[in-house]
Amino acid sequence: MSAVLPLPDPVSRARDPRAPERGPHKLGKRLRRQVGQAIADFGMIEAGDKVMVCLSGGKDSYTLLDILLQLQKKAPVPFELVAVNLDQKQPGFPEHVLPEYLAALGVPFQIIEQDTYSVVSRVIPEGKTMCSLCSRLRRGALYNHAERHGFTKIALGHHRDDIVATFLMNLFHHAKISSMPPKLLSDDGKHVVIRPLAYVSESDIIDYAVACNFPIIPCNLCGSQENLQRRQVGLMMQQWEAQHPGRIEQISRALGNIQPSQMADASLFDFMTLGHRQDAPLPDAQAWLAGGGKSEEPQAPLPLGEGLG
């Protein structure tokens, strides 16, 4: 596991004094608009879709299901919603909560029972993070269920802040510019995954979950795991937002405003022929790699932080 630097405790969610008060009605209206916009922008739901809404019992998935149910009533196309929960057989998991909640709403639902908890507990050494393996097992179970029951879309509860955090995780720890896309085709080409909360902030979801009094079920499988890299990134994002309100939204907007010619990925932009003179041959990459373009005296490395402009 990569070493991470300790960060201070989470700062309280500072409120921008310029922002209007957020009553439950106005908040719900904004969430419906943001989810509807995401669905429209990325073509997430089509006529006749059978959407599997993955419900974990957390604030995000409850909000996802609730908003989709509201939009379904006035949507321009007909589609079906089915709530699906994966019971991972965690000790003490209150397995009655979700069925009772969904039955009271009159929402079609299905429960998958698969003991991933025992697998993760057996395979992952004590003290190591469990998220990666747990996520893979959970994804496999949901994909298999979707294929067996004819679901055309799989809706997950990842929100704007999750998407930004994943971008920063990949940037800091994996040296790549990527994140969770709002719409994704699985590697085997069988499943379309959608994230209708892609434009919704976590702070709004927290407020909405409180206003709706959702019966939240905490995830106890991972424990606190204070040194999780994602938690470190989350703390950093909280500090940014407290000091500079709107920074996370700016990063989120930037993810939808990529300028390939201003980056350095030659597979996305043709730098080779950029400004190429017709009377000159294209540069021979192999010749340069063989040393044709190297100076005789090797250059000393620049001090850290210099030469970045």
Side-chain angles (χ1 to χ4, degrees):
M1 174 179 170
S2 302
V4 292
L5 296 176
L7 292 176
D9 291 334
V11 295
S12 59
R13 290 191 293 123
R15 176 175 170 75
D16 186 346
R18 299 167 297 178
E21 291 297 324
R22 299 184 294 186
H25 177 72
K26 289 185 177 180
L27 180 56
K29 183 177 180 180
R30 178 162 68 252
L31 265 59
R32 288 192 296 273
R33 183 178 67 251
Q34 291 172 332
V35 172
Q37 187 70 58
I39 291 173
D41 286 350
F42 298 98
M44 292 185 182
I45 296 178
E46 302 167 293
D49 267 340
K50 183 178 180 181
V51 182
M52 183 173 91
V53 184
C54 299
L55 193 65
S56 66
K59 59 179 174 43
D60 304 333
S61 60
Y62 273 124
T63 298
L64 172 65
L65 176 63
D66 191 81
I67 297 299
L68 287 179
L69 287 170
Q70 295 179 51
L71 291 176
Q72 185 186 38
K73 298 175 182 177
K74 297 183 179 180
V77 297
F79 62 94
E80 182 181 353
L81 293 173
V82 179
V84 174
N85 169 252
L86 173 60
D87 181 354
Q88 299 176 267
K89 298 304 177 183
Q90 297 168 288
F93 180 77
E95 57 186 29
H96 65 284
V97 171
L98 287 175
E100 291 178 0
Y101 172 78
L102 295 168
L105 286 181
V107 177
F109 69 91
Q110 299 166 358
I111 305 295
I112 308 170
E113 295 188 6
Q114 183 168 321
D115 188 1
T116 62
Y117 174 83
S118 295
V119 176
V120 173
S121 300
R122 184 179 69 252
V123 173
I124 302 298
E126 184 176 355
K128 299 294 184 180
T129 57
M130 303 178 178
C131 294
S132 179
L133 177 59
C134 180
S135 178
R136 290 199 301 272
L137 294 174
R138 187 168 60 246
R139 182 168 60 246
L142 293 172
Y143 280 5
N144 289 336
H145 186 82
E147 184 174 5
R148 289 196 304 269
H149 291 83
F151 287 100
T152 57
K153 301 287 171 59
I154 300 174
L156 302 179
H158 298 121
H159 47 69
R160 182 202 68 182
D161 297 38
D162 287 328
I163 292 173
V164 171
T166 300
F167 164 71
L168 295 173
M169 288 276 293
N170 286 329
L171 179 67
F172 296 154
H173 299 291
H174 303 290
K176 63 180 180 180
I177 304 295
S178 68
S179 185
M180 295 176 178
K183 185 178 182 182
L184 170 74
L185 183 65
S186 63
D187 292 340
D188 60 10
K190 295 180 179 180
H191 307 285
V192 177
V193 176
I194 59 175
R195 297 183 170 97
L197 299 180
Y199 293 159
V200 180
S201 71
E202 183 173 25
S203 61
D204 276 353
I205 291 175
I206 292 172
D207 291 343
Y208 190 74
V210 171
C212 293
N213 195 30
F214 294 136
I216 303 297
I217 301 174
C219 176
N220 296 319
L221 174 59
C222 301
S224 59
Q225 297 195 94
E226 295 296 315
N227 289 327
L228 279 176
Q229 292 173 350
R230 182 171 290 276
R231 182 176 185 275
Q232 300 290 309
V233 168
L235 291 174
M236 180 186 68
M237 290 169 58
Q238 289 182 33
Q239 294 168 12
W240 282 355
E241 196 65 20
Q243 297 169 4
H244 306 282
R247 175 171 288 186
I248 304 307
E249 176 64 20
Q250 286 293 94
I251 298 175
S252 176
R253 289 177 179 272
L255 293 176
N257 186 23
I258 307 298
Q259 306 293 323
S261 66
Q262 307 302 305
M263 304 297 284
D265 190 338
S267 67
L268 297 180
F269 186 81
D270 187 5
F271 291 100
M272 184 67 71
T273 61
L274 180 65
H276 171 61
R277 300 196 329 273
Q278 296 300 319
D279 61 341
L282 287 172
D284 186 338
Q286 294 301 320
W288 283 93
L289 288 172
K294 293 182 180 179
S295 62
E296 294 183 2
E297 294 294 331
Q299 295 181 351
L302 289 172
L304 184 63
E306 295 187 16
L308 299 181

